[in-house]
């Protein structure tokens, strides 16, 4: 029987500056302090990159607010999203979402490819599922779905892999950020057994 570390404690940190009001997560209570420090640095790096990409420094009128959500926090895996809304005038602002899936024991941060067995044709499998969902949900695509990116955005939540796209990447603004929820059991044959997806089958 596998023994897991206790779930990470998550503290909400508040970053307040002129035109900036953001809550972001900080992990606490991990057994290994070096791992904890490494993962927290990774979170801060993502938040700061988002702020930069949203034009905070270049556009003096840009106002950014933001928060985060913990999507899963068990079996030594934490998966979370950072969501920022930037407004710089005009009809509406823009929401940006990024995510991190990390191992609270090893300190690893996972890319999508790390969730699958080496050599598995996971891109083909995920593209087929997304195409099916687009059809089933009758989504109003801006252009034909060409397939997921090598660095596709994703997170893990409640025995599911969730793939998502940014605003305007796939659908019109009014449709919001599109999410594709894929039950892990649809991926059982290609999931890496010792990876984050594999841990969900125990």
């Amino acid at each position: 029987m596998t023994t897991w570390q206790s779930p990470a404690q998550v503290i909400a940190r508040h970053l307040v500056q002129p035109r900036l009001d953001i809550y972001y997560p900080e992990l606490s209570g991990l057994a290994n302090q070096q791992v904890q420090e490494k993962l927290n640095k990774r979170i801060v790096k993502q938040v700061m990159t988002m702020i930069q990409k949203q034009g905070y420094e270049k556009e003096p009128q840009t106002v950014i607010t933001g928060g985060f959500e913990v999507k899963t926090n068990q079996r030594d895996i934490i998966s979370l999203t950072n969501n920022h809304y930037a407004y710089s005038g005009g009809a509406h602002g823009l929401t940006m979402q990024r995510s991190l899936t990390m191992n609270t024991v090893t300190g690893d941060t996972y890319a999508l490819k790390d969730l699958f067995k080496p050599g598995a044709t996971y891109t083909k499998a995920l593209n087929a599922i997304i195409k099916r969902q687009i059809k089933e949900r009758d989504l109003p695509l801006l252009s034909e779905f060409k397939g997921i990116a090598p660095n596709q955005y994703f997170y893990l939540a409640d025995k599911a892999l969730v793939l998502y796209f940014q605003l305007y990447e796939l659908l019109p603004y009014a449709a919001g950020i599109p999410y594709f929820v894929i039950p892990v059991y649809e991926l059982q044959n290609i999931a890496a057994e010792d990876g984050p997806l594999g841990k969900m089958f125990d």
Side-chain angles (χ1 to χ4, degrees), residues 82-194:
N82 285 299
N83 306 279
H84 293 181
Y85 176 79
Y87 183 75
S88 49
H92 54 70
L94 271 182
T95 298
M96 176 186 282
Q97 178 167 295
R98 294 288 187 272
S99 45
L100 290 167
T101 296
M102 306 180 290
N103 189 308
T104 55
V105 173
T106 64
D108 291 330
T109 298
Y110 298 100
L112 185 61
K113 65 179 173 58
D114 301 326
L115 276 54
F116 300 98
K117 293 174 181 173
T121 55
Y122 72 92
T123 303
K124 186 178 175 184
L126 296 176
N127 285 340
I129 292 169
I130 289 176
K131 283 178 181 175
R132 188 188 76 215
Q133 288 195 21
I134 286 171
K135 192 174 178 183
E136 288 170 354
R137 293 158 60 185
D138 196 22
L139 296 176
L141 297 184
L142 289 170
S143 58
E144 186 189 352
F145 173 64
K146 296 283 201 294
I148 59 172
N151 58 341
Q152 182 63 44
Y153 305 112
F154 76 94
Y155 59 82
L156 302 179
D158 196 23
K159 295 205 177 291
L161 168 65
V162 182
L163 303 180
Y164 65 95
F165 296 81
Q166 300 301 317
L167 292 174
Y168 293 122
E169 209 177 346
L170 202 61
L171 303 179
Y173 178 88
I177 291 176
Y179 297 91
F180 296 89
V181 180
I182 304 170
V184 292
Y185 300 105
E186 285 192 46
L187 306 169
Q188 195 155 7
N189 293 335
I190 55 174
E193 289 175 21
D194 57 348

Side-chain angles (χ1 to χ4, degrees), residues 17-29:
Q17 291 178 13
R19 303 180 290 110
L20 200 61
D21 189 346
I22 288 169
Y23 287 91
Y24 66 92
E26 182 178 290
L27 307 186
S28 176

